[in-house]
Amino acid sequence: QVGHWRGPLWPKGTTVKRYQPGFTLIELIVVIVILGVLAATALPKFMGIQSGARASILSGARGAVSSAMNIAYAAQASQGLGSNVGVTLDGISIAMLNGYPAASTAGADSNIYAAAGLSAEYTAVAGTNQVSIQVVNAPAPSSCSFVYSAATTTLPARVGAATTSGC
């Protein structure tokens, strides 16, 4: 009888181990090694992204401080106020020094930090006629910062270049 299947070729009552689908131990180890290599190459890139993000928010804060400095100067000049008379920006009273926002808090009035509307991501470290704006979560906050220098009788206020080596 050609073409007729007569059943299994082993004796009746014999149990045969059936093939169970799945992964072998070798296959699992190869996949784990590949994932480890990918993670080892991707991790440094993600660390660089965080540093770049902190440098970017520092740049944004620098721009906000520069804009707030110029807006406060223009508001004071347009109102015809004296150079050391404070101005109010968006309901916030800003202390002025020689026509520009003060670097440090003066009594009940706020300084350039408040005028720029900086968030809790930044901290201000006051110095003599200057304030250092730093990124709080940076590995080295003093090296992820810029300096706002208050105006003097001869020089206008200025925003220094950002230091990003510690971001």
Side-chain angles (χ1 to χ4, degrees):
Q1 297 182 5
V2 177
H4 177 62
W5 184 70
R6 298 184 65 178
L9 301 176
W10 50 85
K12 203 174 197 175
T14 306
T15 58
V16 177
K17 206 177 206 182
R18 294 182 179 238
Y19 175 75
Q20 293 185 356
F23 298 107
T24 66
L25 184 61
I26 298 294
E27 290 170 331
L28 292 175
I29 290 173
V30 168
V31 169
I32 291 170
V33 167
I34 290 171
L35 290 175
V37 168
L38 289 174
T41 57
L43 188 62
K45 291 180 183 177
F46 286 122
M47 295 303 289
I49 289 172
Q50 288 180 341
S51 176
R54 283 190 289 268
S56 293
I57 65 168
L58 181 66
S59 178
R62 188 175 176 277
V65 166
S66 182
S67 294
M69 174 185 77
N70 290 319
I71 290 169
Y73 175 81
Q76 189 183 52
S78 69
Q79 294 172 15
L81 301 173
S83 66
N84 292 330
V85 176
V87 296
T88 301
L89 299 174
D90 292 330
I92 300 171
S93 182
I94 307 297
M96 301 292 280
L97 179 64
N98 297 316
Y100 291 92
S104 58
T105 302
D109 292 339
S110 297
N111 61 6
I112 189 66
Y113 185 87
L118 298 180
S119 67
E121 293 178 333
Y122 309 97
T123 187
V125 178
T128 305
N129 277 344
Q130 67 181 21
V131 63
S132 174
I133 308 293
Q134 302 174 354
V135 177
V136 173
N137 292 329
S142 63
S143 297
C144 188
S145 63
F146 65 91
V147 174
Y148 169 80
S149 299
T152 64
T153 54
T154 57
L155 293 172
R158 57 199 175 281
V159 179
T163 303
T164 58
S165 62
C167 289

